[in-house]
Amino acid sequence: MLKTVCMSQDGACPGDFMLQNVNCPHVKLGQEFPGVAFRGHLCSLPKLMEITSSSHASHGNHKENSPFLNSSEAGKGGDYYDRNLALFEEELDIRPKVSSLLGKLVNYTNLTQGVKEHEEAESTDGSKKKVSKSPSMGTLMGVYLPCMQNIFGVILFLRLTWMVGMAGVLQSFLIVLLCCCCTMLTTISMSAIATNGVVPAGGSYFMISRSLGPEFGGAVGLCFYLGTTFAGAMYILGAIEILLTYIVPQAAIFHPSGAHDASSAMLNNMRVYGTVFLILMAVVVFVGVKYVNKFASLFLACVVISILSIYAGAIKSIFDPPEFPICMLGNRTLSRDQFDVCAKTIVKDNITVASKLWELFCHSTNLTTENCDEYFVMNNVSEIAGIPGAASGILKDNLWSNYLEKGEILEKAHHPSVDVAGQKNNLHLYVLSDIATSFMVLVGIFFPSVTGIMAGSNRSGDLKDAQKSIPVGTILAIVTTSLVYFSCVLLFGACIEGVVLRDKYGDAVNKNLVVGTLSWPSPWVIVIGSFFSTCGAGLQSLTGAPRLLQAIAKDNIIPFLWIFGHGKANGEPTWALLLTALIAELGILIASLDMVAPILSMFFLMCYLFVNLACAVQTLLRTPNWRPRFKYYHWALSFLGMSICLALMFISSWYYALVAMLIAGMIYKYIEYQGAEKEWGDGIRGLSLSAARYALLRLEEGPPHTKNWRPQLLVLLKLDEDLHVKYPRLLTFASQLKAGKGLTIIGSVIQGNFLETYGEAQAAEQTIKNMMDIEKVKGFCQVVVANKVREGIAHLIQSCGLGGMKHNTVVLGWPYGWRQSEDPRSWKTFIGTVRCTTAAHLALLVPKNVSFYPSNHERYNEGNIDVWWIVHDGGMLMLLPFLLKQHKVWRKCKMRIFTVAQMDDNSIQMKKDLATFLYQLRIEAEVEVVEMHNSDISAYTYERTLMMEQRSQMLRQMRLTKTEREREAQLVKDRHSIARLESLYSDEEDEGDPVPENIQMTWTKEKCDAEKRNRGSAVGSFRDLISIKPNQSNVRRMHTAVKLNEVIVNRSHDARLVLLNMPGPPKNTDGDENYMEFLEVLTEGLERVLLVRGGGREVITIYS
């Protein structure tokens, strides 16, 4: 099948076409080629005849005919093999068949980070593009050995003997057990996550981010990155320590000028050489990772040979211990590198002369003791075996801990000595403790020697069967390394003298590596082996860390890291490598292996903690997608692992632990507020759902107490014809009232049929959400499609919210322009909504002149919020100004409360009572009682009522005559042809019973007479408008509205906001239009008014 570009002369490319008179050896005449076009240079096409296009051609879903069908069968239709799926043929455009889906999944290749880009860069010519090799690594080569190589490291060779000497065999067992339990439990959790689906390259970062979400993933990913980077620095420092202390001490650049600055000179040497090594390693990684991978097996061989030499030496020490004598002065250990003979005097030519040791302590070659160190004079010099051997019984002396403070001399317990103070200037002649030690310090230093368990999961893309290899390989590696550590602790305690174990740098054994003194056949096996293995581990760290950073940067969850997602043309992370080198340089400038180790311990422990958390959360939530192939996990094990990680963090260094948590917390919050939002189906989202469900079920138990009551808003928004929010200040007001607390639902109604207007509803919802973001409204949006706007509003009022999280207050816009409109439906919808909220026992807020309300950027530095408390409605009028004043816009406004006193009320007592009531409510406000005298109804009131009723009567008559004209003309009115109304209060919404599609009238004599009578009465009623008399009830209501308005305008004309009781609508619907007029009169002359109607319950209380 040839799939190329169509080059027909008219430029059109038919879906299916037949070839005739084709000069092409590869095709037959009359053969159909559905959805295929040919380049002119491949086949000459003198004549191109279009055949009937397939039904799918227009959708771009061309189907290839089966190669097993002959041309006659093919001609019956391109969908021959889909005949059994005819029922689903309309869905095949958007939903693939199972066969094609499985075909894509089988062909899925899982490449490691950077490999794909590397291959594409190397094979720029498409014809020479290499076929990517399928993953082929097994458990041994892919997981077990890489984990072994990463776990065994510098600590085993440089610090394990010292740890055993300080902590003793028993506490060393405990340290190793704690650390190995931590990694084993983490491995169990990691295995469950790694076998729950395909894990692409990215290892722990990918697992945590996809399990706990981008915030945790980014925070822990960066912690893991920093840990790996500092591990690189630690390995380099270990290599330099081996080089300068045991291989070529003469290569040191800085030399101690005095006896006491040896450590500072050593640290400076470490900094210089460490920086040089780091640059060299970074260059090697930059030039090519393949060189690092080629030497990986060599470095692993060095580690294995070194460990085997330790076991060989331990076995040999049983019957032939190596000769490493230690010189003791009393019970103090002497540093052997400054003298050769362990004696105070030596016999030379039958003459007893002072030894080098005497000269060092007495500062003279004479055998006089006047200037000698007192301790030197009082105690004897003796030699003991440094490696007594496994059969010597030294184990019982090394069982218990022997922690030392910094600068303390290494002493052998129970060795004969006279306890006198020596001279301080001779301290450099003894072996001293360079740092203060404790169980906690040793845990922090040892933990990096059990890290590296992620090596297998990081290579998941190269494994033949990652879901089987990762758990088996990693667990076997941990078991192997744990056994090696336990056996080494036991062997060191059983074979080596305690003071030698506590001698970190081998000063007592002629600057030999302590573990090297035990090894067989030579100490150099361990020295050289450990040097190469630490260099290799450093290279591995500098290779892995930049790729991890690149993976995080490419996920784009931390915007400022985007630059580190780029690299060389072959995908090598150049910028990430540069940053990694700079961070590693910080570790090298610290220069002390013992200080760098706890830092990376923190970052690794943080990472392991979250791996355990991810597994525990997924297990407890029982999410449907949680189906790991590895079955030997349990949430309790994950929690235990998490607890051990947390405990180890604070045991090893509580201040480093707090810093690491602070860094992770800052990254978490940064991603939460600034990072790109990702939906990865993570467990934290599931946890939120479970917590929300639990909370909702708790809320359902009963209505909230008055103390907990707050307005949960349903804001009814009006949209214009272009689906834009007509009055965005309603949202502004809602955000100022709520300040992000409680529930806010923004609702709107679109008129029409749901099936036809679903797309518009979605667009309207998105528009409202965008406006909510702009106005900083935290809440939910709900758009309802209904045949009538009033019905849609009723649906919203009834059904919004869930369980206990339902709205209790409705915010409704004022129907501006209702007087000018001939159609009553706009204000009828408004009044209907007021009745609905009253029936549902909900509070109602109607902001009038909402476009004059302040935006969130304005500030009122002065002014008043006036509350006109006319009837008690549960305290809403008191609570709303208090809530508004929490917002920065209204914060500096003062609150004034006015109440109305009638003639028979004691206004002085009312004012006192109101002040007391406000004091008990803890609300600060000025109190004023306004007296309203019983005045006669003014002519203005009477005139206003008359105008209102005349206008109402006139509009009624106009609507009546219009209906008659429509009936006479037999107007065909299709209800669904009415233009869809986006507004909340429709001017075009049809009220009353539906009109039949066609009005068929048969005129009889009786009907004709009735029509004439009706017409006559209609004309007569227009004349009656002039002689109409107003209803006395309406006159009374108008009188109240006018008098109240006068008082309110007089006192509150300059107020920033006026809150006012909203009178309820009349029970008789005939007076609805008059009700609107009363509200207009009541609020006339006021710039910003908030009409408030309570929901029938107390919302504020004087009790605590």
Side-chain angles (χ1 to χ4, degrees):
M1 200 72 179
L2 297 169
K3 300 206 173 189
T4 56
V5 182
C6 178
M7 297 186 67
S8 57
Q9 299 210 346
D10 59 341
C13 189
D16 299 344
F17 57 81
M18 183 184 289
L19 301 180
Q20 289 188 346
N21 301 328
V22 181
N23 301 325
C24 185
H26 306 293
V27 294
K28 297 176 182 177
L29 290 181
Q31 188 174 347
E32 270 193 355
F33 294 88
V36 180
F38 292 83
R39 281 198 184 97
H41 69 270
L42 285 178
C43 295
S44 169
L45 304 179
K47 187 175 179 185
L48 184 67
M49 189 178 80
E50 187 172 337
I51 310 285
T52 310
S53 293
S54 73
S55 60
H56 297 288
S58 59
H59 301 293
N61 189 16
H62 312 303
K63 291 188 171 54
E64 187 175 342
N65 281 335
S66 169
F68 303 108
L69 299 178
N70 60 32
S71 58
S72 63
E73 288 175 320
K76 294 176 185 175
D79 293 331
Y80 179 83
Y81 65 94
D82 282 342
R83 192 174 289 168
N84 294 329
L85 298 177
L87 187 60
F88 302 95
E89 61 187 6
E90 291 184 1
E91 298 185 30
L92 289 176
D93 288 341
I94 53 171
R95 297 176 184 177
K97 289 184 302 178
V98 174
S99 58
S100 57
L101 175 70
L102 292 175
K104 288 177 185 173
L105 288 176
V106 168
N107 292 329
Y108 173 78
T109 55
N110 192 357
L111 298 174
T112 52
Q113 298 275 335
V115 171
K116 189 173 181 182
E117 297 89 338
H118 186 75
E119 286 184 358
E120 287 174 358
E122 284 188 351
S123 52
T124 51
D125 184 5
S127 60
K128 295 180 182 177
K129 188 169 283 190
K130 296 177 185 176
V131 179
S132 59
K133 289 195 295 183
S134 60
S136 59
M137 278 187 157
T139 305
L140 181 70
M141 294 302 295
V143 182
Y144 180 72
L145 293 179
C147 281
M148 290 267 288
Q149 185 184 354
N150 277 266
I151 294 170
F152 285 135
V154 62
I155 302 294
L156 169 63
F157 303 117
L158 294 185
R159 294 291 182 270
L160 190 59
T161 51
W162 172 73
M163 184 186 88
V164 174
M166 290 295 182
V169 172
L170 295 179
Q171 287 193 24
S172 296
F173 269 141
L174 183 58
I175 292 171
V176 174
L177 183 67
L178 265 177
C179 296
C180 291
C181 279
C182 174
T183 52
M184 179 59 84
L185 292 169
T186 304
T187 301
I188 291 170
S189 298
M190 183 195 76
S191 299
I193 299 171
T195 58
N196 186 49
V198 179
V199 179
S204 59
Y205 162 68
F206 184 92
M207 289 190 292
I208 295 167
S209 62
R210 269 54 174 184
S211 297
L212 290 181
E215 294 89 358
F216 278 113
V220 178
L222 279 184
C223 281
F224 192 54
Y225 163 73
L226 290 171
T228 310
T229 305
F230 274 104
M234 184 189 76
Y235 290 131
I236 291 171
L237 288 173
I240 301 303
E241 186 178 308
I242 294 167
L243 182 74
L244 293 182
T245 310
Y246 308 114
I247 299 178
V248 276
Q250 59 272 23
I253 298 169
F254 300 93
H255 299 281
S257 53
H260 303 290
D261 61 349
S263 62
S264 61
M266 183 63 182
L267 292 180
N268 287 331
N269 284 322
M270 301 272 274
R271 290 184 181 110
V272 173
Y273 276 99
T275 305
V276 173
F277 263 55
L278 176 63
I279 292 168
L280 288 173
M281 287 184 178
V283 169
V284 170
V285 172
F286 178 76
V287 168
V289 185
K290 56 185 177 182
Y291 299 114
V292 179
N293 293 331
K294 278 181 180 176
F295 286 108
S297 53
L298 172 67
F299 297 140
L300 179 60
C302 291
V303 174
V304 173
I305 291 168
S306 301
I307 292 169
L308 290 175
S309 73
I310 295 172
Y311 287 118
I315 293 167
K316 178 178 174 291
S317 73
I318 298 171
F319 49 86
D320 185 16
E323 287 290 327
F324 281 102
I326 303 165
C327 190
M328 306 290 293
L329 177 60
N331 63 354
R332 295 180 181 179
T333 313
L334 293 170
S335 180
R336 195 65 187 260
D337 61 328
Q338 301 185 46
F339 59 91
D340 47 1
V341 179
C342 183
K344 290 185 179 181
T345 58
I346 54 172
V347 178
K348 188 181 285 185
D349 299 330
N350 292 328
I351 302 169
T352 303
V353 294
S355 67
K356 179 69 174 173
L357 196 61
W358 186 286
E359 290 179 25
L360 291 169
F361 276 99
C362 298
H363 310 292
S364 124
T365 54
N366 299 325
L367 292 175
T368 55
T369 57
E370 295 137 6
N371 299 322
C372 285
D373 188 310
E374 189 181 358
Y375 188 85
F376 178 75
V377 174
M378 300 293 291
N379 286 281
N380 294 323
V381 173
S382 60
E383 268 191 343
I384 60 171
I387 314 289
S392 63
I394 197 72
L395 180 62
K396 64 177 184 294
D397 295 333
N398 292 331
L399 280 177
W400 312 109
S401 62
N402 198 341
Y403 297 116
L404 300 174
E405 292 299 317
K406 185 177 180 180
E408 206 171 326
I409 300 170
L410 267 63
E411 296 178 347
K412 180 173 172 58
H414 312 303
H415 203 67
S417 69
V418 179
D419 192 15
V420 291
Q423 294 177 4
K424 285 190 176 181
N425 58 353
N426 289 330
L427 283 176
H428 65 282
L429 300 173
Y430 301 107
V431 180
L432 304 174
S433 171
D434 64 333
I435 60 167
T437 52
S438 66
F439 181 81
M440 299 181 180
V441 170
L442 295 181
V443 168
I445 291 173
F446 176 74
F447 188 79
S449 62
V450 296
T451 60
I453 60 172
M454 298 290 182
S457 62
N458 289 345
R459 292 166 175 251
S460 55
D462 297 327
L463 299 172
K464 192 186 299 178
D465 184 0
Q467 298 191 355
K468 178 186 171 187
S469 298
I470 289 175
V472 174
T474 312
I475 290 171
L476 280 178
I478 289 178
V479 169
T480 307
T481 51
S482 301
L483 289 174
V484 168
Y485 285 135
F486 281 121
S487 58
C488 283
V489 167
L490 189 64
L491 289 177
F492 293 158
C495 298
I496 305 175
E497 173 60 50
V499 287
V500 179
L501 286 173
R502 290 189 286 281
D503 181 5
K504 187 187 287 184
Y505 300 110
D507 292 325
V509 284
N510 290 326
K511 287 284 184 182
N512 274 305
L513 182 61
V514 174
V515 70
T517 59
L518 179 63
S519 65
W520 179 87
S522 164
W524 286 101
V525 175
I526 292 270
V527 171
I528 302 298
S530 60
F531 177 74
F532 280 114
S533 70
T534 47
C535 287
L539 279 171
Q540 293 281 2
S541 297
L542 290 180
T543 306
R547 275 160 182 69
L548 182 60
L549 183 62
Q550 189 181 37
I552 298 169
K554 282 187 173 178
D555 265 343
N556 199 28
I557 55 171
I558 304 175
F560 69 80
L561 289 181
W562 67 271
I563 185 68
F564 301 109
H566 305 291
K568 290 196 293 187
N570 61 358
E572 289 298 316
T574 312
W575 291 107
L577 176 62
L578 185 63
L579 180 69
T580 304
L582 289 173
I583 296 173
E585 178 61 21
L586 293 177
I588 283 167
L589 290 177
I590 294 172
S592 171
L593 187 70
D594 303 318
M595 291 181 73
V596 174
I599 296 174
L600 67 104
S601 293
M602 288 306 124
F603 290 124
F604 279 123
L605 281 166
M606 183 81 77
C607 177
Y608 296 166
L609 185 147
F610 281 106
V611 170
N612 284 304
L613 177 65
C615 181
V617 166
Q618 298 274 37
T619 308
L620 287 174
L621 289 178
R622 295 187 180 91
T623 48
N625 191 50
W626 180 246
R627 304 184 298 275
R629 287 189 178 278
F630 181 78
K631 300 297 181 186
Y632 307 102
Y633 67 94
H634 193 270
W635 64 266
L637 291 176
S638 299
F639 269 115
L640 181 61
M642 200 169 71
S643 306
I644 293 175
C645 287
L646 197 62
L648 286 175
M649 284 176 72
F650 283 93
I651 283 172
S652 54
S653 176
W654 62 267
Y655 44 90
Y656 278 161
L658 291 177
V659 170
M661 286 179 165
L662 183 66
I663 291 171
M666 287 167 63
I667 298 166
Y668 179 94
K669 297 308 286 184
Y670 176 79
I671 297 171
E672 189 177 54
Y673 288 116
Q674 298 291 330
E677 290 194 6
K678 302 278 183 184
E679 178 49 71
W680 286 331
D682 51 86
I684 293 298
R685 179 63 58 89
L687 194 61
S688 303
L689 284 171
S690 294
R693 173 183 164 277
Y694 174 76
L696 283 170
L697 289 172
R698 286 291 304 274
L699 284 173
E700 191 76 353
E701 291 174 4
H705 191 271
T706 305
K707 288 186 281 189
N708 297 327
W709 195 95
R710 62 168 69 243
Q712 315 284 21
L713 300 183
L714 168 61
V715 183
L716 297 174
L717 272 194
K718 187 174 184 177
L719 303 178
D720 62 17
E721 294 175 358
D722 297 323
L723 298 180
H724 293 142
V725 178
K726 201 164 185 181
Y727 300 112
R729 284 293 160 87
L730 270 177
L731 291 175
T732 312
F733 171 70
S735 73
Q736 291 168 5
L737 185 63
K738 299 296 293 176
K741 306 290 191 301
L743 176 72
T744 306
I745 302 172
I746 311 298
S748 189
V749 178
I750 288 182
Q751 189 180 359
N753 186 309
F754 178 71
L755 295 176
E756 295 170 3
T757 55
Y758 175 72
E760 292 179 25
Q762 293 289 95
E765 192 168 322
Q766 193 55 49
T767 303
I768 293 172
K769 282 181 178 174
N770 293 341
M771 187 55 71
M772 288 169 70
D773 288 339
I774 292 168
E775 297 295 341
K776 294 183 172 59
V777 176
K778 293 182 179 177
F780 309 98
C781 172
Q782 190 157 354
V783 176
V784 169
V785 179
N787 288 328
K788 291 184 181 180
V789 173
R790 196 189 298 182
E791 286 178 5
I793 292 173
H795 294 159
L796 282 171
I797 289 172
Q798 290 176 73
S799 62
C800 275
L802 182 65
M805 284 295 279
K806 288 184 77 72
H807 57 278
N808 54 30
T809 306
V810 176
V811 179
L812 186 62
W814 180 261
Y816 303 100
W818 67 273
R819 279 174 172 163
Q820 288 74 29
S821 172
E822 290 184 12
D823 202 326
R825 287 185 277 276
S826 104
W827 53 264
K828 281 196 173 183
T829 304
F830 174 80
I831 296 174
T833 307
V834 174
R835 285 198 173 100
C836 277
T837 55
T838 306
H841 299 292
L842 301 175
L844 178 68
L845 307 179
V846 181
K848 199 160 179 283
N849 303 329
V850 75
S851 53
F852 294 117
Y853 277 55
S855 71
N856 284 325
H857 304 295
E858 294 179 49
R859 302 282 186 282
Y860 285 151
N861 292 321
E862 56 182 0
N864 299 310
I865 299 176
D866 286 358
V867 176
W868 284 85
W869 192 20
I870 297 161
V871 292
H872 181 57
D873 58 354
M876 278 283 286
L877 283 169
M878 311 290 175
L879 188 61
L880 292 173
F882 172 76
L883 294 174
L884 278 174
K885 277 168 62 68
Q886 306 301 308
H887 196 273
K888 55 192 173 187
V889 172
W890 305 93
R891 190 166 290 148
K892 294 187 178 177
C893 291
K894 292 180 180 175
M895 186 173 159
R896 298 191 301 184
I897 295 182
F898 297 91
T899 189
V900 176
Q902 303 300 326
M903 284 297 292
D904 53 349
D905 293 328
N906 184 343
S907 58
I908 298 171
Q909 188 61 39
M910 272 180 74
K911 187 171 182 178
K912 284 183 180 176
D913 293 346
L914 182 56
T916 307
F917 179 59
L918 288 176
Y919 177 77
Q920 289 173 336
L921 287 176
R922 290 90 65 202
I923 290 177
E924 293 181 14
E926 293 179 26
V927 176
E928 206 162 324
V929 177
V930 178
E931 295 180 350
M932 288 188 70
H933 302 289
N934 288 337
S935 60
D936 293 332
I937 294 170
S938 65
Y940 170 75
T941 304
Y942 196 86
E943 184 71 25
R944 192 79 189 252
T945 313
L946 185 62
M947 283 171 60
M948 175 183 77
E949 293 197 354
Q950 280 180 344
R951 179 181 178 280
S952 179
Q953 186 75 11
M954 189 185 301
L955 287 171
R956 202 174 291 124
Q957 293 299 333
M958 286 171 67
R959 284 194 292 274
L960 188 61
T961 54
K962 183 180 178 185
T963 308
E964 287 166 355
R965 285 200 307 274
E966 288 172 353
R967 186 178 296 144
E968 287 169 8
Q970 296 190 21
L971 175 67
V972 178
K973 187 175 182 182
D974 182 6
R975 183 173 182 78
H976 299 294
S977 67
I978 299 171
R980 184 195 55 75
L981 185 70
E982 299 84 352
S983 63
L984 194 57
Y985 313 112
S986 168
D987 289 342
E988 300 172 15
E989 185 183 354
D990 193 19
E991 279 295 319
D993 297 327
V995 180
E997 287 194 10
N998 292 304
I999 305 170
Q1000 302 292 342
M1001 295 188 68
T1002 305
W1003 290 97
T1004 62
K1005 189 173 185 301
E1006 292 80 6
K1007 281 190 178 180
C1008 191
D1009 291 342
E1011 282 296 320
K1012 286 177 182 176
R1013 282 197 302 275
N1014 285 339
R1015 200 170 297 165
S1017 65
V1019 174
S1021 61
F1022 274 114
R1023 295 194 192 101
D1024 293 342
L1025 285 173
I1026 302 163
S1027 58
I1028 195 170
K1029 288 187 178 180
N1031 184 307
Q1032 285 304 310
S1033 172
N1034 287 342
V1035 171
R1036 282 201 321 276
R1037 287 190 173 90
M1038 183 63 78
H1039 176 66
T1040 306
V1042 169
K1043 292 294 291 180
L1044 268 176
N1045 179 255
E1046 284 177 7
V1047 173
I1048 294 170
V1049 170
N1050 184 35
R1051 298 297 182 96
S1052 302
H1053 61 88
D1054 59 346
R1056 298 295 189 188
L1057 180 65
V1058 176
L1059 283 84
L1060 184 62
N1061 283 115
M1062 181 179 182
K1067 292 178 181 177
N1068 185 1
T1069 56
D1070 293 341
D1072 283 358
E1073 196 168 7
N1074 300 337
Y1075 172 69
M1076 294 297 297
E1077 188 69 36
F1078 295 145
L1079 292 180
E1080 284 282 11
V1081 171
L1082 186 62
T1083 57
E1084 222 167 32
L1086 296 171
E1087 188 179 17
R1088 284 178 287 270
V1089 185
L1090 181 63
L1091 294 170
V1092 181
R1093 186 161 171 74
R1097 63 162 292 170
E1098 292 292 331
V1099 300
I1100 196 165
T1101 178
I1102 62 173
Y1103 300 106
S1104 62

